[in-house]
Amino acid sequence: MVKKQNVNAYLKETFKPKMVSALRNYNKQTFMADLMAGIIVGIVALPLAIAFGIASGVSPEKGIITAIVAGFVISVFGGSKVQIGGPTGAFIVIVYGIIQQYGMQGLTVATLMAGVFLILLGVLKLGTIIKYIPYPIVVGFTSGIAVTIFSTQVKDLLGMSIEAPSDFIEKWIAYFSNLSSIDPWSAVVGLVSVAIIAIMPRFSKKVPGSLVAIVVVTIAVLLLKHFAGVTSVETIGDRFSIESSLPKAAVPALSWEVIKSLAGPALTIAVLGAIESLLSATVADGVIGDHHRSNTELIGQGLANIASPLFGGIPATGAIARTMTNINNGGRTPIAGIVHAVVLLLIFLFLMPLAQYIPMACLAGVLVVVAYGMSGWRSFLAMMRNPKSDVTVLLLTFFLTIIFDLTVAIEIGLVCACLLFMRRMAETTEVRAILDEIDLNEDADMEAGNLEHLTIPEGVEVYEINGPYFFGAGNRFEDIMARYGRRPKVRIIRMRKVPFIDSTGLHNLENLCLMSQQEGITVVLSGVVPKVENVLKNNGFNQLLGEENICNHIDLALERASQITLRAAQ
């Protein structure tokens, strides 16, 4: 009974949806602001949901279903007041790849598994750890995704009548080899769509340029088809049959073999979703002056990615652009996100058949602008001036993303970032030999009272470790002792600036002590901080060295060394 109460208390502490606190002092004025913001965001989300769905390799209605179901769940159960969830450009590459390899059934299973992973991340309170993924990796794979999205849209943007390969390099070779297959009318439609979206913010920041482009260009294409007989511009209806009814929830067939094969893609979806949603929530916090609950947000994202595939949807996460649109139009509580989902539902049920007239070149134009916004080319170029290690991780992640896939890019990028971090940590740990005098003016704690210098007795060596003593710095002692090549009677090791020691550090320190004892050298430890001292005692160093050889201060250590050298001389 006690364990059950502890579990319930833990879950209540971890899972606190912002919806609950947002409704405590809710009023009519706030509702009207949320209502207007939700309507506008719903309209903005419509063309993006259709475009993301088609680009991901599924039918257009699945993109809208994702925005409806996942958007609703994220708003109700998420940890941000203003987060708007749905399909995003970041998922296009990974979703398309999963469908190509495992089919729609595989995508459904992978998305469900990703939802479970996200919930586990939240329950285990790992929301803050996700934030520590190195910035070069985030910029690298985001820019790589942007380039990949642009590459996939060139065919539809220019109306090329070719079967584009999936490989990045082969795709561009095919494009340049088939320039003669470009359809002029489709190219005009695509480029005009890009131009409308680009210039629309100059006239109105509230009216979404993508929606204006779709409406204007779709009407223009219908007129061209009717009056000028232009039939070469492909529309959504030419490629897909659109349904305007919500499918019934269906649980896919699961087996251990399927779960094992999809674990990697599912983990990639989860990590990408966690990064995107927490970045979006953090950006939103800076604008509205709030603090999101990262673990609750991850749980909400997990629930959304479980609900979405059950209704035929695709992976979803927090969308920065739609979240900022929500904020800029007055949305301040999760009610705005719920209204956005309801608006999309009404459009889906009553106006979805009209989507069949939207030109594919226009949707490609929408995604080209999205890719440009995702590319973050200014940040990319700015990072090229950073240290070489950061540039290496950035470029490696970028090229792996566009040439191979996002899963490989994130895995290798993280490994490289961890290795570089270990190298930097190792470089911060200094081991130095003190040959003549110890200058206590360098000591923040003035270990020996008013003394300014302590002379090192004959037959005594003093070494100081400055920084964490872990596996990256484990062999420093051997290097520095080999450099001086002495054989003293006592070897003092100052550890006052060692904040922690790991298993490898313990192993190397133990080997040093044993080797010293075999050579007739006594090892004395000085200034060991309590945390490190407990670790040493738990590993038997008090028996190995003797309690009297683990001293609190350098003056006590030197006094002990003098006693040892004096006894040896007698």
Side-chain angles (χ1 to χ4, degrees):
M1 185 66 181
V2 175
K3 286 185 177 180
K4 186 176 180 180
Q5 290 177 346
N6 290 339
V7 170
N8 290 336
Y10 177 83
L11 290 176
K12 287 181 180 178
E13 180 67 25
T14 305
F15 186 50
K16 293 181 177 179
K18 280 284 188 176
M19 171 68 84
V20 177
S21 56
L23 293 180
R24 285 175 185 163
N25 299 311
Y26 203 68
N27 53 46
K28 182 179 178 181
Q29 183 179 359
T30 307
F31 171 73
M32 293 306 298
D34 286 339
L35 179 65
M36 292 306 300
I39 292 172
I40 293 172
V41 176
I43 295 172
V44 170
L46 176 64
L48 295 176
I50 294 173
F52 292 149
I54 292 175
S56 298
V58 299
S59 55
E61 70 268 14
K62 292 189 182 298
I64 300 183
I65 289 172
T66 305
I68 294 169
V69 177
F72 179 84
V73 174
I74 288 170
S75 293
V76 173
F77 298 106
S80 171
K81 284 183 178 179
V82 292
Q83 182 87 282
I84 301 296
T88 66
F91 280 131
I92 289 175
V93 178
I94 186 67
V95 170
Y96 186 84
I98 293 173
I99 291 175
Q100 292 297 306
Q101 188 170 356
Y102 302 101
M104 192 62 200
Q105 185 83 354
L107 175 64
T108 301
V109 175
T111 308
L112 285 170
M113 291 171 62
V116 174
F117 287 153
L118 284 165
I119 292 174
L120 288 175
L121 289 174
V123 171
L124 295 174
K125 296 188 176 181
L126 297 177
T128 53
I129 292 179
I130 293 290
K131 298 177 183 178
Y132 296 119
I133 291 180
Y135 188 58
I137 291 180
V138 176
V139 174
F141 75 65
T142 303
S143 299
I145 290 170
V147 172
T148 306
I149 291 173
F150 173 75
S151 299
T152 61
Q153 298 307 306
V154 171
K155 173 179 174 290
D156 286 338
L157 183 73
L158 302 178
M160 300 177 77
S161 56
I162 61 170
E163 190 65 36
S166 58
D167 181 77
F168 177 81
I169 297 175
E170 291 179 0
K171 192 190 302 290
W172 279 98
I173 291 174
Y175 288 156
F176 285 112
S177 302
N178 293 275
L179 293 176
S180 59
S181 69
I182 293 175
D183 175 57
W185 285 107
S186 295
V188 169
V189 166
L191 295 176
V192 167
S193 300
V194 172
I196 291 174
I197 298 170
I199 65 174
M200 194 61 203
R202 299 181 182 180
F203 299 97
S204 173
K205 292 186 177 181
K206 290 192 174 183
V207 179
S210 56
L211 183 65
V212 173
I214 285 177
V215 172
V216 170
V217 171
T218 300
I219 293 173
V221 169
L222 287 173
L223 293 175
L224 284 171
K225 185 176 183 179
H226 184 74
F227 293 106
V230 176
T231 59
S232 61
V233 180
E234 187 180 23
T235 64
I236 291 178
D238 295 329
R239 193 178 295 183
F240 301 97
S241 58
I242 300 175
E243 298 179 5
S244 58
S245 60
L246 284 174
K248 293 181 180 179
V251 179
L254 298 175
S255 68
W256 179 240
E257 290 301 319
V258 171
I259 291 173
K260 282 197 300 182
S261 64
L262 289 168
L267 189 59
T268 302
I269 292 173
V271 171
L272 190 58
I275 294 171
E276 285 280 304
S277 62
L278 294 180
L279 280 176
S280 176
T282 302
V283 171
D285 286 347
V287 178
I288 66 174
D290 191 47
H291 295 286
H292 73 279
R293 296 165 185 157
S294 58
N295 296 310
T296 299
E297 181 63 21
L298 290 180
I299 294 174
Q301 295 288 337
L303 293 172
N305 279 284
I306 289 175
S308 175
L310 294 179
F311 291 91
I314 59 177
T317 186
I320 296 178
R322 276 161 276 173
T323 298
M324 291 306 298
T325 302
N326 181 34
I327 294 171
N328 293 336
N329 286 280
R332 288 298 179 271
T333 79
I335 296 297
I338 294 174
V339 171
H340 136 271
V342 173
V343 169
L344 284 173
L345 176 61
L346 294 174
I347 293 173
F348 178 78
L349 293 176
F350 300 107
L351 300 177
M352 193 60 191
L354 296 177
Q356 64 181 313
Y357 301 111
I358 299 174
M360 295 299 299
C362 180
L363 287 180
V366 171
L367 287 175
V368 165
V369 176
V370 169
Y372 176 81
M374 282 184 65
S375 66
W377 60 273
R378 292 182 179 87
S379 299
F380 193 97
L381 293 178
M383 289 202 66
M384 295 298 290
R385 298 191 292 269
N386 286 1
K388 290 183 179 179
S389 57
D390 286 343
V391 174
T392 300
V393 173
L394 172 71
L395 294 178
L396 187 65
T397 309
F398 174 75
F399 284 113
L400 285 173
T401 300
I402 63 175
I403 295 174
F404 294 97
D405 61 54
L406 196 58
T407 304
V408 174
I410 291 179
E411 289 173 352
I412 296 180
L414 281 174
V415 169
C416 289
C418 289
L419 290 174
L420 290 169
F421 173 75
M422 293 173 196
R423 178 185 169 189
R424 288 175 182 171
M425 285 293 293
E427 290 173 349
T428 62
T429 301
E430 176 190 16
V431 178
R432 65 188 180 107
I434 304 174
L435 302 178
D436 300 315
E437 290 184 333
I438 299 173
D439 186 359
L440 292 180
N441 291 317
E442 296 178 356
D443 297 355
D445 52 2
M446 293 295 288
E447 292 177 322
N450 295 323
L451 294 175
E452 294 183 353
H453 296 276
L454 288 177
T455 302
I456 299 173
E458 187 70 26
V460 178
E461 283 183 353
V462 178
Y463 296 89
E464 180 163 18
I465 308 173
N466 186 357
Y469 192 37
F470 70 121
F471 64 88
N475 297 320
R476 294 290 179 86
F477 267 123
E478 287 84 346
D479 296 339
I480 197 167
M481 285 189 297
R483 189 184 310 166
Y484 292 103
R486 299 178 180 179
R487 182 170 290 188
K489 296 295 182 184
V490 181
R491 189 169 279 149
I492 297 175
I493 302 175
R494 299 186 78 188
M495 301 181 69
R496 64 201 175 101
K497 294 182 179 179
V498 178
F500 74 86
I501 184 169
D502 73 352
S503 298
T504 308
L506 283 168
H507 176 71
N508 287 339
L509 185 60
E510 182 181 11
N511 283 344
L512 173 67
C513 294
L514 291 173
M515 288 172 56
S516 298
Q517 289 175 355
Q518 290 174 4
E519 296 173 357
I521 302 171
T522 302
V523 174
V524 177
L525 303 183
S526 168
V528 184
V529 299
K531 182 179 178 181
V532 175
E533 186 176 5
N534 289 334
V535 174
L536 294 177
K537 287 184 176 180
N538 290 337
N539 284 271
F541 273 79
N542 49 342
Q543 285 86 23
L544 176 64
L545 300 179
E547 292 278 0
E548 67 279 7
N549 290 329
I550 301 178
C551 306
N552 293 329
H553 303 291
I554 186 62
D555 54 340
L556 298 176
L558 289 172
E559 184 180 339
R560 174 61 184 161
S562 297
Q563 295 172 0
I564 295 170
T565 53
L566 183 61
R567 190 185 311 127
Q570 295 174 351

